[in-house]
Amino acid sequence: MKRLLPPLTFTLLLGLATFAHAADWAPARSNVPGAQYPRLDAEGRGIFQIKAPDATAVQVNLPQGSYPLTKGADGVWSVTTPPIEPGFHYYAFRVDGVMVFDSGSQAFFGASRHGSGIEVPEPGVDFYTIKDVPHGDLRAKWYFSKVTNSWRRLFVYTPPGYDNQPDQRFPALYLQHGGGEDETGWANQGRTDIILDNLIAAGRARPMLVVIANGNLPREPGVTALYSREGMTGFARELLENIVPFIEANFRVQPDAKHRALAGLSMGGGQSFFVGLANTDTFSAVGAFSTGLFGGIRPPGGAEPASFDAEAAIPGLLSAPQTFNAALDPFYLSVGEQDPRLDATRKIVADFRARGLEVEFASFPGGHEWQVWRKSLHDFVPRLFRSE
Amino acid sequence: MKRLLPPLTFTLLLGLATFAHAADWAPARSNVPGAQYPRLDAEGRGIFQIKAPDATAVQVNLPQGSYPLTKGADGVWSVTTPPIEPGFHYYAFRVDGVMVFDSGSQAFFGASRHGSGIEVPEPGVDFYTIKDVPHGDLRAKWYFSKVTNSWRRLFVYTPPGYDNQPDQRFPALYLQHGGGEDETGWANQGRTDIILDNLIAAGRARPMLVVIANGNLPREPGVTALYSREGMTGFARELLENIVPFIEANFRVQPDAKHRALAGLSMGGGQSFFVGLANTDTFSAVGAFSTGLFGGIRPPGGAEPASFDAEAAIPGLLSAPQTFNAALDPFYLSVGEQDPRLDATRKIVADFRARGLEVEFASFPGGHEWQVWRKSLHDFVPRLFRSE
């Protein structure tokens, strides 16, 4: 029996629907405690708010696009966005042309500044969620750099049980951030400690140390191209002459190439490629996540750089691949499936394999972003130190 | 022989003077790498800048006052402030009524948000400057709170040599932040690790652990006053039932009252006073830096609270002071000499002493601010665990 609902029933149902809808929204996990905005619903839609009674135009800039906010009677501007991609994203408001960070968000260092970030849960993905498993430490350490002539900070993840096994030594992964970021990238946005805790607890990774250093180093005078052997000299010296010796003097690691790995994202991927492949006497595993070395990105208004000459970058890489195959386990590349670097990365993987160079490759949904890098780390770490 | 300078010479001299003046300015130490503003000169004057081409009014809000910026032809607003008090200060811009953080500054958690901060050097003061001495670790650890039913982060400072002496146990100081701050306060703004490193290297403090936890905890339903025994229940449970047992299960500390101290600043000072003095079976040293418990602050527009009843707060404190004198070494209070809490704190110290309660007291130049709290920590730590 079908009949029209009387107006009051309809209003009640609408009220219930609105209530159910409202109850579905929750503050983002990346908010500071107590901050109600930004909020997300189960589909990842976001509500952003900022008080700006005198402003004439406000928008929120997310990596996927910008959304104009509308002004309420109370001077609070607000917008509900379409679903935001799962993962972690930097964002900012623009208020009458001024970049404004959201006081509701924690601050994250990216784009060379401490800005806002939003964590959008990915349904069914919990490898970077803290769980009731043994937890390692994330230790801040100061070391003196002879390259910069200053004290610099790095983080060291030590695995659960490190303190209780004073006679035990562990392998070490050196893990580098991207351009505009620093050592806090893998520590905060990357959730390295949680990813390692979960992998180790599941028996999927060997207990290891992860060294998370600041990869921003000056270039030699006259060198302009970062992505060249010359451009990497500062980083290479910092890593090989300062960071690795400091770690090996202060932590119980296994001080040989077999037990050292080097990986990084974007700029750090380029650093890992150049410095790792050129120093297989120091590192036996190299990972480059989302590096732009191979092409696919172009400077604004400029042309895409000439194709990457792997043999020129790393002599022998193509002409004597068996040397690298024997030295590296693994040589690993990854990239986001919506990253403009995808095609160039896939092509070089095919080229490498055609020349007999063994390379392990993975791609993950997402652009040039932390969700791809978390998944890359989670995929890469179980491949390390597996021969024992 | 005296003569007037010709106009060209005068212009040249003026130019040299300007150059010398400009050379005197340097980016604040609290800036993100590469950020040229804010800048400070040797007298602590600051230059603040922000680009806001469409704004009509911009000011910078420092604790000592607000300063209007003036607009340049390029849309960049700028101001040179009078000298800023030495130490660390939170600040923000206000652009047409909107609070805007400075993308040139690192972010610091205070006032319940991640905002800008500026570090103004204090001439002749270097106890919180990193030096070429052995450095401990600052370790981030996750523990599960049965009070909040969630994972919470704390920091643990372990002294130099902790890893190399696996049979050695150490005393522990539990150190709490102020209202609107969290566990990052003592770790970042407070420079706890550097202060301890320097004191230990100078032989002025025993090697000890410092546990820096998040003291923001919910109050029981119906309890509104934080600064009461009832208001402290959540913190007391967190500390005594969760944090201390977690530390003692995971670190080599000496698990008795004689080797535990509790201190904090402002809100954390109130927590230390209530929970420390009520639990002398757990703690043998208590420090309260700049607590407002004793009076001197009043809610905006309201009256100063009634005078503090120490005997009601801690039964026996005035009527049986010898119990506390025997249990505590030290009971310590400190406050800033420009803090409105100064007179009330001095008065209660006099009252305590008149009643036979031993209290160590220090005051330092400055208001309700981190420079006073750094100096308090630096002054307090050498008084700990000194009987051995």
Side-chain angles (χ1 to χ4, degrees):
Chain A
M1 192 174 72
K2 187 176 169 188
R3 61 180 182 89
L4 287 174
L5 293 169
L8 178 62
T9 309
F10 182 76
T11 304
L12 279 172
L13 285 173
L14 195 68
L16 284 169
T18 306
F19 178 78
H21 184 69
D24 194 32
W25 292 86
R29 295 178 191 178
S30 39
N31 288 7
V32 297
Q36 296 301 307
Y37 293 90
R39 301 174 81 75
L40 293 165
D41 73 1
E43 282 71 49
R45 280 182 288 264
I47 302 179
F48 294 82
Q49 281 199 353
I50 184 172
K51 185 161 189 173
D54 302 328
T56 56
V58 178
Q59 65 183 40
V60 59
N61 294 337
L62 284 158
Q64 69 192 44
S66 298
Y67 304 98
L69 280 70
T70 53
K71 188 177 178 178
D74 50 2
V76 175
W77 296 68
S78 184
V79 65
T80 302
T81 71
I84 304 170
E85 293 292 319
F88 172 87
H89 310 287
Y90 302 112
Y91 75 95
F93 291 114
R94 201 151 186 97
V95 179
D96 290 346
V98 179
M99 182 176 64
V100 178
F101 298 122
D102 190 343
S103 62
S105 167
Q106 294 178 52
F108 301 90
F109 193 70
S112 300
R113 62 189 187 228
H114 277 97
S116 308
I118 188 162
E119 179 74 49
V120 182
E122 180 167 350
V125 171
D126 68 352
F127 69 86
Y128 55 84
T129 301
I130 189 165
K131 295 176 191 172
D132 188 14
V133 298
H135 297 116
D137 294 1
L138 195 62
R139 308 184 183 191
K141 294 288 288 181
W142 294 98
Y143 73 97
F144 192 81
S145 163
K146 286 168 284 191
V147 172
T148 62
N149 202 33
S150 65
W151 292 94
R152 291 169 74 88
R153 187 177 65 170
L154 52 73
F155 292 110
V156 181
Y157 170 82
T158 55
Y162 179 85
D163 278 344
N164 303 333
Q165 304 167 64
D167 300 322
Q168 182 77 30
R169 289 183 168 268
F170 297 86
L173 164 62
Y174 294 79
L175 186 61
Q176 295 300 133
H177 59 82
E181 297 172 339
D182 66 9
E183 71 276 16
T184 60
W186 279 112
N188 293 347
Q189 295 93 300
R191 300 181 75 79
T192 298
D193 57 336
I194 308 299
I195 292 172
L196 267 286
D197 287 343
N198 288 339
L199 282 172
I200 293 169
R204 294 194 51 214
R206 284 194 53 180
M208 66 183 75
L209 275 72
V210 184
V211 180
I212 304 173
N214 183 337
N216 298 305
L217 276 310
R219 290 195 280 283
E220 304 287 327
V223 175
T224 53
L226 171 63
Y227 292 104
S228 63
R229 250 186 303 176
E230 297 72 26
M232 296 289 170
T233 310
F235 173 73
R237 281 190 56 208
E238 185 72 7
L239 180 64
L240 300 173
E241 299 172 20
N242 289 300
I243 296 172
V244 171
F246 173 80
I247 294 298
E248 299 191 348
N250 287 280
F251 292 88
R252 298 190 315 279
V253 287
Q254 291 162 288
D256 54 34
K258 191 177 172 189
H259 298 97
R260 293 190 203 102
L262 176 61
L265 75 89
S266 197
M267 178 182 90
Q271 292 173 327
S272 299
F273 183 94
F274 272 100
V275 179
L277 297 183
N279 293 280
T280 53
D281 54 340
T282 302
F283 300 101
S284 63
V286 171
F289 314 155
S290 305
T291 172
L293 270 189
F294 313 128
I297 49 167
R298 59 190 76 194
E304 190 166 338
S307 67
F308 181 69
D309 185 339
E311 181 71 18
I314 306 292
L317 193 64
L318 301 183
S319 60
Q322 63 285 358
T323 315
F324 293 87
N325 295 342
L328 294 175
D329 181 27
F331 170 40
Y332 175 95
L333 298 176
S334 71
V335 67
E337 289 162 5
Q338 284 73 49
D339 191 320
R341 296 157 185 80
L342 177 70
D343 290 345
T345 306
R346 278 192 172 144
K347 180 175 178 306
I348 209 157
V349 168
D351 290 352
F352 284 164
R353 288 174 174 166
R355 299 292 288 260
L357 180 66
E358 291 169 7
V359 53
E360 300 184 18
F361 173 70
S363 66
F364 303 99
H368 200 65
E369 57 176 290
W370 273 103
Q371 197 73 340
V372 169
W373 303 326
R374 291 168 176 172
K375 289 181 179 177
S376 295
L377 181 68
H378 178 248
D379 185 53
F380 178 66
V381 162
R383 303 171 192 248
L384 293 177
F385 318 119
R386 57 190 162 185
S387 68
E388 307 194 8
Chain B
M1 188 176 70
K2 188 174 166 190
R3 61 180 181 89
L4 286 175
L5 294 168
L8 178 63
T9 309
F10 182 76
T11 304
L12 280 171
L13 285 175
L14 195 68
L16 285 169
T18 305
F19 178 78
H21 184 69
D24 194 31
W25 292 85
R29 295 178 191 179
S30 40
N31 289 7
V32 297
Q36 295 301 307
Y37 293 90
R39 300 175 82 76
L40 292 164
D41 73 1
E43 282 72 47
R45 279 182 288 264
I47 302 178
F48 294 83
Q49 280 200 353
I50 184 171
K51 185 161 188 172
D54 302 327
T56 56
V58 178
Q59 65 182 42
V60 59
N61 294 336
L62 284 159
Q64 70 192 44
S66 297
Y67 304 97
L69 281 71
T70 53
K71 189 177 178 177
D74 50 1
V76 174
W77 295 69
S78 184
V79 66
T80 302
T81 71
I84 305 170
E85 293 293 318
F88 172 87
H89 309 286
Y90 302 112
Y91 74 95
F93 292 115
R94 200 151 187 99
V95 180
D96 289 347
V98 178
M99 182 176 65
V100 178
F101 298 122
D102 190 344
S103 63
S105 166
Q106 294 178 52
F108 301 90
F109 194 69
S112 300
R113 62 189 187 228
H114 277 97
S116 307
I118 188 161
E119 180 73 49
V120 182
E122 180 167 351
V125 171
D126 67 352
F127 70 86
Y128 55 85
T129 301
I130 190 165
K131 295 179 190 170
D132 188 13
V133 298
H135 296 117
D137 295 0
L138 195 62
R139 307 183 182 192
K141 294 288 289 182
W142 294 97
Y143 73 97
F144 193 81
S145 163
K146 286 169 284 190
V147 172
T148 62
N149 201 35
S150 64
W151 291 95
R152 292 169 75 88
R153 186 176 66 171
L154 51 74
F155 293 109
V156 181
Y157 169 82
T158 56
Y162 179 86
D163 278 345
N164 302 334
Q165 304 169 62
D167 299 322
Q168 183 77 30
R169 290 182 169 269
F170 298 85
L173 164 62
Y174 293 80
L175 186 61
Q176 295 301 133
H177 59 81
E181 298 173 338
D182 66 9
E183 71 276 15
T184 61
W186 278 112
N188 292 347
Q189 294 93 301
R191 302 181 73 81
T192 299
D193 56 336
I194 308 300
I195 292 172
L196 268 286
D197 287 343
N198 289 339
L199 282 172
I200 292 168
R204 293 195 50 216
R206 284 195 54 181
M208 67 182 76
L209 275 71
V210 185
V211 180
I212 304 173
N214 183 336
N216 298 304
L217 289 147
R219 289 195 281 282
E220 305 285 327
V223 175
T224 53
L226 171 63
Y227 292 104
S228 64
R229 250 188 302 176
E230 298 71 26
M232 296 288 172
T233 311
F235 173 72
R237 282 190 56 208
E238 186 72 8
L239 180 65
L240 301 174
E241 299 173 20
N242 290 299
I243 296 172
V244 171
F246 174 80
I247 293 300
E248 299 191 347
N250 288 279
F251 291 89
R252 297 190 317 278
V253 287
Q254 291 162 289
D256 53 33
K258 191 176 172 190
H259 298 97
R260 293 190 203 103
L262 175 61
L265 75 90
S266 196
M267 178 182 88
Q271 291 173 327
S272 299
F273 184 93
F274 270 101
V275 179
L277 297 183
N279 293 278
T280 52
D281 54 340
T282 302
F283 300 101
S284 63
V286 171
F289 314 154
S290 304
T291 173
L293 269 189
F294 313 128
I297 50 168
R298 58 190 77 194
E304 191 166 336
S307 67
F308 181 69
D309 184 341
E311 180 71 17
I314 306 292
L317 193 64
L318 301 184
S319 59
Q322 64 283 2
T323 315
F324 293 87
N325 295 343
L328 294 175
D329 180 27
F331 169 41
Y332 175 94
L333 298 176
S334 72
V335 67
E337 289 161 6
Q338 284 72 49
D339 191 320
R341 296 158 186 79
L342 176 70
D343 290 343
T345 306
R346 280 193 171 143
K347 180 176 179 306
I348 208 157
V349 168
D351 290 351
F352 284 163
R353 289 174 174 166
R355 298 293 288 260
L357 181 67
E358 292 169 7
V359 53
E360 301 184 18
F361 173 70
S363 66
F364 303 99
H368 200 64
E369 56 176 289
W370 273 103
Q371 198 72 342
V372 169
W373 304 326
R374 292 169 175 170
K375 290 181 179 177
S376 295
L377 182 68
H378 179 248
D379 184 53
F380 177 66
V381 162
R383 303 171 192 247
L384 293 177
F385 318 120
R386 58 191 162 183
S387 66
E388 306 195 10

mmCIF file of all heavy atoms in Angstrom, chain A residues 113-129:
data_model
loop_
_atom_site.group_PDB
_atom_site.id
_atom_site.type_symbol
_atom_site.label_atom_id
_atom_site.label_comp_id
_atom_site.label_asym_id
_atom_site.label_seq_id
_atom_site.Cartn_x
_atom_site.Cartn_y
_atom_site.Cartn_z
ATOM 1 N N ARG A 113 58.133 25.002 4.102
ATOM 2 C CA ARG A 113 57.465 25.751 5.173
ATOM 3 C C ARG A 113 56.643 24.785 6.013
ATOM 4 O O ARG A 113 56.361 23.663 5.588
ATOM 5 C CB ARG A 113 56.562 26.827 4.568
ATOM 6 C CG ARG A 113 55.486 26.200 3.724
ATOM 7 C CD ARG A 113 54.682 27.203 2.909
ATOM 8 N NE ARG A 113 53.586 26.471 2.278
ATOM 9 C CZ ARG A 113 53.253 26.563 0.998
ATOM 10 N NH1 ARG A 113 53.902 27.362 0.193
ATOM 11 N NH2 ARG A 113 52.246 25.866 0.513
ATOM 12 N N HIS A 114 56.280 25.223 7.209
ATOM 13 C CA HIS A 114 55.370 24.456 8.047
ATOM 14 C C HIS A 114 53.942 24.841 7.678
ATOM 15 O O HIS A 114 53.511 25.943 7.996
ATOM 16 C CB HIS A 114 55.613 24.751 9.528
ATOM 17 C CG HIS A 114 56.727 23.953 10.115
ATOM 18 N ND1 HIS A 114 57.999 24.428 10.246
ATOM 19 C CD2 HIS A 114 56.754 22.673 10.585
ATOM 20 C CE1 HIS A 114 58.768 23.495 10.794
ATOM 21 N NE2 HIS A 114 58.050 22.423 10.998
ATOM 22 N N GLY A 115 53.241 23.973 7.001
ATOM 23 C CA GLY A 115 51.886 24.272 6.577
ATOM 24 C C GLY A 115 50.888 23.266 7.101
ATOM 25 O O GLY A 115 51.225 22.381 7.876
ATOM 26 N N SER A 116 49.644 23.425 6.642
ATOM 27 C CA SER A 116 48.574 22.540 7.081
ATOM 28 C C SER A 116 48.602 21.237 6.295
ATOM 29 O O SER A 116 49.117 21.186 5.172
ATOM 30 C CB SER A 116 47.224 23.234 6.874
ATOM 31 O OG SER A 116 47.244 24.520 7.474
ATOM 32 N N GLY A 117 48.047 20.215 6.889
ATOM 33 C CA GLY A 117 47.946 18.921 6.224
ATOM 34 C C GLY A 117 46.671 18.222 6.639
ATOM 35 O O GLY A 117 46.166 18.450 7.740
ATOM 36 N N ILE A 118 46.150 17.401 5.746
ATOM 37 C CA ILE A 118 44.941 16.652 6.084
ATOM 38 C C ILE A 118 45.149 15.181 5.771
ATOM 39 O O ILE A 118 45.656 14.822 4.712
ATOM 40 C CB ILE A 118 43.681 17.223 5.387
ATOM 41 C CG1 ILE A 118 42.424 16.531 5.931
ATOM 42 C CG2 ILE A 118 43.773 17.135 3.870
ATOM 43 C CD1 ILE A 118 41.138 17.296 5.651
ATOM 44 N N GLU A 119 44.774 14.356 6.738
ATOM 45 C CA GLU A 119 44.904 12.910 6.633
ATOM 46 C C GLU A 119 43.524 12.350 6.303
ATOM 47 O O GLU A 119 42.606 12.474 7.102
ATOM 48 C CB GLU A 119 45.411 12.358 7.969
ATOM 49 C CG GLU A 119 45.583 10.867 8.036
ATOM 50 C CD GLU A 119 46.815 10.390 7.270
ATOM 51 O OE1 GLU A 119 47.900 10.954 7.471
ATOM 52 O OE2 GLU A 119 46.658 9.461 6.456
ATOM 53 N N VAL A 120 43.407 11.762 5.116
ATOM 54 C CA VAL A 120 42.137 11.181 4.679
ATOM 55 C C VAL A 120 42.277 9.663 4.729
ATOM 56 O O VAL A 120 43.114 9.093 4.017
ATOM 57 C CB VAL A 120 41.790 11.637 3.243
ATOM 58 C CG1 VAL A 120 40.447 11.070 2.808
ATOM 59 C CG2 VAL A 120 41.795 13.155 3.152
ATOM 60 N N PRO A 121 41.514 8.989 5.585
ATOM 61 C CA PRO A 121 41.668 7.533 5.712
ATOM 62 C C PRO A 121 41.382 6.827 4.394
ATOM 63 O O PRO A 121 40.536 7.261 3.606
ATOM 64 C CB PRO A 121 40.613 7.156 6.762
ATOM 65 C CG PRO A 121 40.281 8.420 7.479
ATOM 66 C CD PRO A 121 40.472 9.523 6.478
ATOM 67 N N GLU A 122 42.126 5.753 4.143
ATOM 68 C CA GLU A 122 41.843 4.921 2.977
ATOM 69 C C GLU A 122 41.142 3.656 3.473
ATOM 70 O O GLU A 122 41.725 2.887 4.241
ATOM 71 C CB GLU A 122 43.135 4.559 2.242
ATOM 72 C CG GLU A 122 42.854 3.699 1.015
ATOM 73 C CD GLU A 122 44.055 3.571 0.082
ATOM 74 O OE1 GLU A 122 45.061 4.284 0.273
ATOM 75 O OE2 GLU A 122 43.960 2.733 -0.839
ATOM 76 N N PRO A 123 39.898 3.428 3.032
ATOM 77 C CA PRO A 123 39.168 2.266 3.546
ATOM 78 C C PRO A 123 39.955 0.976 3.327
ATOM 79 O O PRO A 123 40.505 0.734 2.249
ATOM 80 C CB PRO A 123 37.871 2.277 2.719
ATOM 81 C CG PRO A 123 37.706 3.700 2.303
ATOM 82 C CD PRO A 123 39.098 4.224 2.097
ATOM 83 N N GLY A 124 40.018 0.168 4.367
ATOM 84 C CA GLY A 124 40.667 -1.138 4.255
ATOM 85 C C GLY A 124 42.174 -1.109 4.380
ATOM 86 O O GLY A 124 42.814 -2.159 4.342
ATOM 87 N N VAL A 125 42.765 0.080 4.505
ATOM 88 C CA VAL A 125 44.231 0.188 4.573
ATOM 89 C C VAL A 125 44.625 0.561 5.998
ATOM 90 O O VAL A 125 44.234 1.618 6.494
ATOM 91 C CB VAL A 125 44.745 1.245 3.569
ATOM 92 C CG1 VAL A 125 46.225 1.515 3.788
ATOM 93 C CG2 VAL A 125 44.478 0.782 2.152
ATOM 94 N N ASP A 126 45.352 -0.291 6.661
ATOM 95 C CA ASP A 126 45.711 0.004 8.051
ATOM 96 C C ASP A 126 47.182 -0.278 8.359
ATOM 97 O O ASP A 126 47.561 -0.365 9.525
ATOM 98 C CB ASP A 126 44.810 -0.758 9.025
ATOM 99 C CG ASP A 126 45.052 -2.253 8.981
ATOM 100 O OD1 ASP A 126 45.797 -2.716 8.095
ATOM 101 O OD2 ASP A 126 44.484 -2.968 9.833
ATOM 102 N N PHE A 127 48.019 -0.372 7.309
ATOM 103 C CA PHE A 127 49.415 -0.713 7.592
ATOM 104 C C PHE A 127 50.175 0.431 8.256
ATOM 105 O O PHE A 127 51.236 0.218 8.819
ATOM 106 C CB PHE A 127 50.130 -1.187 6.321
ATOM 107 C CG PHE A 127 50.363 -0.114 5.282
ATOM 108 C CD1 PHE A 127 51.493 0.691 5.340
ATOM 109 C CD2 PHE A 127 49.463 0.090 4.246
ATOM 110 C CE1 PHE A 127 51.715 1.679 4.377
ATOM 111 C CE2 PHE A 127 49.679 1.067 3.287
ATOM 112 C CZ PHE A 127 50.808 1.869 3.350
ATOM 113 N N TYR A 128 49.630 1.640 8.204
ATOM 114 C CA TYR A 128 50.272 2.761 8.905
ATOM 115 C C TYR A 128 49.430 3.251 10.089
ATOM 116 O O TYR A 128 49.622 4.379 10.564
ATOM 117 C CB TYR A 128 50.608 3.903 7.931
ATOM 118 C CG TYR A 128 49.449 4.428 7.114
ATOM 119 C CD1 TYR A 128 48.592 5.392 7.631
ATOM 120 C CD2 TYR A 128 49.211 3.967 5.823
ATOM 121 C CE1 TYR A 128 47.533 5.882 6.883
ATOM 122 C CE2 TYR A 128 48.155 4.446 5.062
ATOM 123 C CZ TYR A 128 47.318 5.397 5.600
ATOM 124 O OH TYR A 128 46.266 5.874 4.860
ATOM 125 N N THR A 129 48.535 2.399 10.560
ATOM 126 C CA THR A 129 47.743 2.697 11.752
ATOM 127 C C THR A 129 48.426 2.086 12.967
ATOM 128 O O THR A 129 48.848 0.925 12.919
ATOM 129 C CB THR A 129 46.335 2.093 11.610
ATOM 130 O OG1 THR A 129 45.719 2.648 10.443
ATOM 131 C CG2 THR A 129 45.479 2.388 12.837
#
